[in-house]
Amino acid sequence: MKLYNTLTKKTEELKPINPGHVNLYTCGPTVYNYAHIGNLRTYIFEDLLKRALLYEGFQVKHAMNITDVGHLVGDGDEGEDKLEVGAKREGKNPLDIAKFYKEKFFQDTDALNILRPDTVLPATQAIPEQVEIIKTLEQKGFTYIGEKAIYFDTSKLADYGKLSGQKLSEKKSGAREEVVLDPDKKHPADFALWFFLKGKYENHILHWASPWGEGFPGWHIECSAISRKILGQPFDIHCGGVDHIGTHHTNEIAQSEAAFGLPLANMWMHGEFLLVDSGRMGKSEGNFITLDTLKEKGFSPLDYRYMCLQAHYRTQLNFTWEGLHAAKNARYNLTLKAKELLVGNKIVTLDTSATRATEFGIKFANAISDDLNITQALAVAWEMLGSEISGSQKFDLLMQFDRIFGLRLEEVKNIKDTLVLTEDVEKLKQAREHARQKKDFAKSDELRKQIEELGYEVLDTPEGQKIKRKISL
Ligand code: AMP
Ligand code: ZN
């Protein structure tokens, strides 16, 4: 299986440390607000990766953190802790905020048919492990103490910034220009490992004892500590969105490598951004779209999942409502096709095209192992459905492919047969047949409407009218 590694900037063959087993770490959500569909695109990408690994026969151990402390507004070391912002906004304790949005996050990911990680650990439940790493860094001379925090000294690490390829001299403090430079820091790229309860953090609600006094951890240290605790170091694959490359993942690598003299992870994979109407999504832009927004507009979460299958994970995806409509229709057609194949399966077909079916299986697997080319895999699925192979082969292949697509196509087994008409519809069908024979088209149209109102669709073909029950997804 070939995957693109941000660290080496090459597409490489995956070679797990323990052959046949892949240890996978994905950066989890900051649980101070609803996840937006951009965040969810990243989790869908990671799910496709995990499903592809399972499909290829690897055993996967998947760990994820939950950021419930320390992630400051702006990703740098300025601004307020996002959890405290959420707590103030809603008049609650940060841990209640975290609990609420964590539950909501998993409701969303379940609805998107995203497989849950094997282990999920919130930052607040791994404080001793974080403190241990900071102690090690201090012993090894990688830290210095400022007014409000203990910092990582990036100048002590020769290859700091290797993930992004950005030189230390180019690195600005925080992602945005307007971020005020912290006078405490020797270099703008240095970052906080542990904040003290001083200055604006004097009243920080969550805090723990440490060798440097009461305080709370910086954002990046939680992932170094949690991934190491659960997966060991190094582990195989570390994922996140592209915005993590320059700061969060760069700093995770710096801390873990400086502390233990070992790589943190062998492969680093990053999902590209979702744009909305070609722009950034955010509260201030007024286009913060959640999964609930999609549901309110009559879409299923799986329509959005289908939409994400239509773009490679390393290309930006532009969200538009028209695009989502098209994805909804395509998913409807795919599910209907699966249903019809299932019904058709009851009729035994003579299997004459086993080789051709195998070819589709190979083409699909090749697409997947080519840096997760899901778009190509989806194209193979449609090509296969339009081919000459038997209905039962099509159905079996589609179910096999859906182990990666995750569109819950197996649920067609629970959908009533679309070609079986109720008595009412059967009567209307006959009446319409009559009207058409008498060329009474007004009557025929009226009857079509009545049939459609009962949840069926009517197709007039050269062989006569075909009526199918619409399935609701
Ligand atoms: P956060 O909850 O802010 O820590 O982010 C959760 C995940 O969403 C991270 O992996 C981010 O890289 C990712 N992310 C943030 N914005 C977007 C976006 N517009 N499109 C895709 N992924 C995003
Ligand atoms: Zn992380």
Side-chain angles (χ1 to χ4, degrees):
M1 180 153 189
K2 288 200 166 69
L3 298 169
Y4 182 81
N5 186 354
T6 311
L7 188 62
T8 56
K9 293 167 191 61
K10 285 193 193 99
T11 305
E12 296 171 351
E13 189 62 40
L14 170 68
K15 294 197 189 99
I17 296 164
N18 181 3
H21 296 254
V22 175
N23 280 2
L24 171 72
Y25 185 83
T26 56
C27 286
T30 308
V31 282
Y32 76 118
N33 209 331
Y34 296 103
H36 59 57
I37 54 171
N39 302 133
L40 294 171
R41 182 189 181 199
T42 291
Y43 296 104
I44 292 172
F45 142 60
E46 292 160 348
D47 185 57
L48 293 171
L49 170 66
K50 178 172 164 181
R51 285 170 177 268
L53 292 167
L54 294 168
Y55 188 92
E56 296 272 320
F58 292 105
Q59 277 189 23
V60 179
K61 188 171 173 189
H62 177 197
M64 185 177 85
N65 66 308
I66 296 283
T67 300
D68 54 358
V69 70
H71 188 176
L72 307 187
V73 174
D75 284 3
D77 295 327
E78 295 299 320
E80 256 189 288
D81 185 326
K82 291 188 179 187
L83 265 296
E84 305 252 330
V85 172
K88 273 189 203 148
R89 182 185 64 224
E90 298 180 25
K92 290 185 188 154
N93 181 282
L95 289 180
D96 293 332
I97 292 289
K99 184 169 181 292
F100 177 84
Y101 288 108
K102 179 181 148 193
E103 276 167 20
K104 185 65 190 122
F105 172 79
F106 282 117
Q107 277 170 19
D108 285 354
T109 56
D110 287 350
L112 287 163
N113 203 15
I114 291 174
L115 303 171
R116 289 205 185 195
D118 303 296
T119 311
V120 175
L121 197 59
T124 53
Q125 286 174 35
I127 300 294
E129 290 83 354
Q130 296 175 67
V131 167
E132 272 314 304
I133 300 183
I134 305 170
K135 270 162 63 180
T136 307
L137 289 171
E138 191 174 39
Q139 281 154 16
K140 294 195 173 177
F142 283 101
T143 63
Y144 60 90
I145 292 185
E147 267 299 302
K148 65 166 199 222
I150 171 163
Y151 293 97
F152 184 93
D153 188 344
T154 51
S155 69
K156 296 272 168 69
L157 200 66
D159 56 1
Y160 178 83
K162 65 181 169 187
L163 186 66
S164 67
Q166 207 180 15
K167 292 201 180 64
L168 198 51
S169 53
E170 294 163 0
K171 175 108 186 176
K172 305 236 166 46
S173 173
R176 288 180 295 163
E177 298 286 338
E178 72 265 28
V179 168
V180 189
L181 284 190
D182 183 346
D184 253 14
K185 289 186 188 175
K186 292 189 191 161
H187 188 280
D190 295 352
F191 55 92
L193 295 162
W194 186 265
F195 288 102
F196 311 139
L197 295 186
K198 285 201 182 142
K200 76 167 136 203
Y201 304 122
E202 203 173 348
N203 299 315
H204 203 268
I205 300 167
L206 298 180
H207 52 86
W208 295 264
S210 82
W212 316 279
E214 284 288 315
F216 63 98
W219 173 34
H220 321 298
I221 196 75
E222 71 186 65
C223 287
S224 287
I226 293 170
S227 61
R228 182 180 165 86
K229 179 182 165 83
I230 298 163
L231 304 176
Q233 184 181 339
F235 57 90
D236 299 300
I237 310 179
H238 192 312
C239 297
V242 281
D243 58 326
H244 282 348
I245 299 172
T247 303
H248 182 53
H249 288 170
T250 288
N251 293 348
E252 279 185 36
I253 291 176
Q255 299 159 157
S256 295
E257 295 196 358
F260 304 106
L262 288 167
L264 176 57
N266 290 340
M267 279 198 154
W268 290 78
M269 293 180 66
H270 294 95
E272 252 301 347
F273 259 37
L274 178 85
L275 307 179
V276 174
D277 294 327
S278 305
R280 224 188 85 90
M281 177 170 23
K283 279 258 150 65
S284 46
E285 285 80 2
N287 58 6
F288 189 92
I289 303 173
T290 64
L291 206 59
D292 286 347
T293 323
L294 306 190
K295 287 197 264 181
E296 280 155 22
K297 292 193 190 271
F299 293 98
S300 150
L302 293 180
D303 296 331
Y304 180 61
R305 184 172 174 111
Y306 191 99
M307 187 183 190
C308 292
L309 299 182
Q310 294 173 310
H312 188 260
Y313 78 92
R314 284 200 290 126
T315 58
Q316 291 186 337
L317 171 62
N318 188 30
F319 177 87
T320 60
W321 291 104
E322 297 77 58
L324 188 60
H325 261 290
K328 182 186 169 84
N329 286 339
R331 186 175 80 87
Y332 183 88
N333 291 334
L334 190 65
T335 313
L336 187 63
K337 193 88 197 164
K339 181 69 207 173
E340 290 174 357
L341 287 171
L342 182 65
V343 174
N345 268 346
K346 290 179 192 145
I347 308 155
V348 180
T349 47
L350 197 63
D351 181 359
T352 51
S353 46
T355 343
R356 188 86 178 104
T358 316
E359 271 171 32
F360 285 119
I362 294 171
K363 258 176 127 174
F364 179 86
N366 285 346
I368 292 302
S369 31
D370 176 17
D371 191 27
L372 217 60
N373 196 341
I374 301 286
T375 5
Q376 177 62 24
L378 198 56
V380 172
W382 280 109
E383 189 196 340
M384 179 275 290
L385 290 173
S387 76
E388 74 287 6
I389 64 171
S390 75
S392 62
Q393 286 171 323
K394 286 181 185 174
F395 185 79
D396 292 348
L397 279 170
L398 196 57
M399 291 304 119
Q400 186 182 319
F401 296 173
D402 199 42
R403 279 165 37 206
I404 299 184
F405 296 149
L407 295 168
R408 299 195 205 273
L409 293 176
E410 76 286 353
E411 286 181 12
V412 295
K413 290 181 179 145
N414 310 323
I415 299 177
K416 271 199 293 174
D417 192 339
T418 53
L419 298 176
V420 175
L421 309 183
T422 58
E423 229 173 280
D424 296 6
V425 178
E426 192 57 60
K427 276 188 192 144
L428 289 167
K429 181 186 178 187
Q430 282 166 20
R432 189 166 180 266
E433 195 59 54
H434 225 72
R436 280 163 60 81
Q437 276 161 10
K438 288 198 293 182
K439 304 219 180 307
D440 184 351
F441 295 116
K443 179 86 185 157
S444 154
D445 282 352
E446 168 56 33
L447 288 162
R448 166 196 284 272
K449 243 190 230 152
Q450 286 184 33
I451 298 171
E452 284 173 350
E453 273 161 20
L454 292 170
Y456 287 77
E457 60 185 334
V458 183
L459 272 172
D460 288 320
T461 73
E463 296 89 50
Q465 49 175 343
K466 286 222 165 92
I467 301 183
K468 280 188 213 171
R469 194 174 53 79
K470 279 196 184 154
I471 48 180
S472 55
L473 298 176

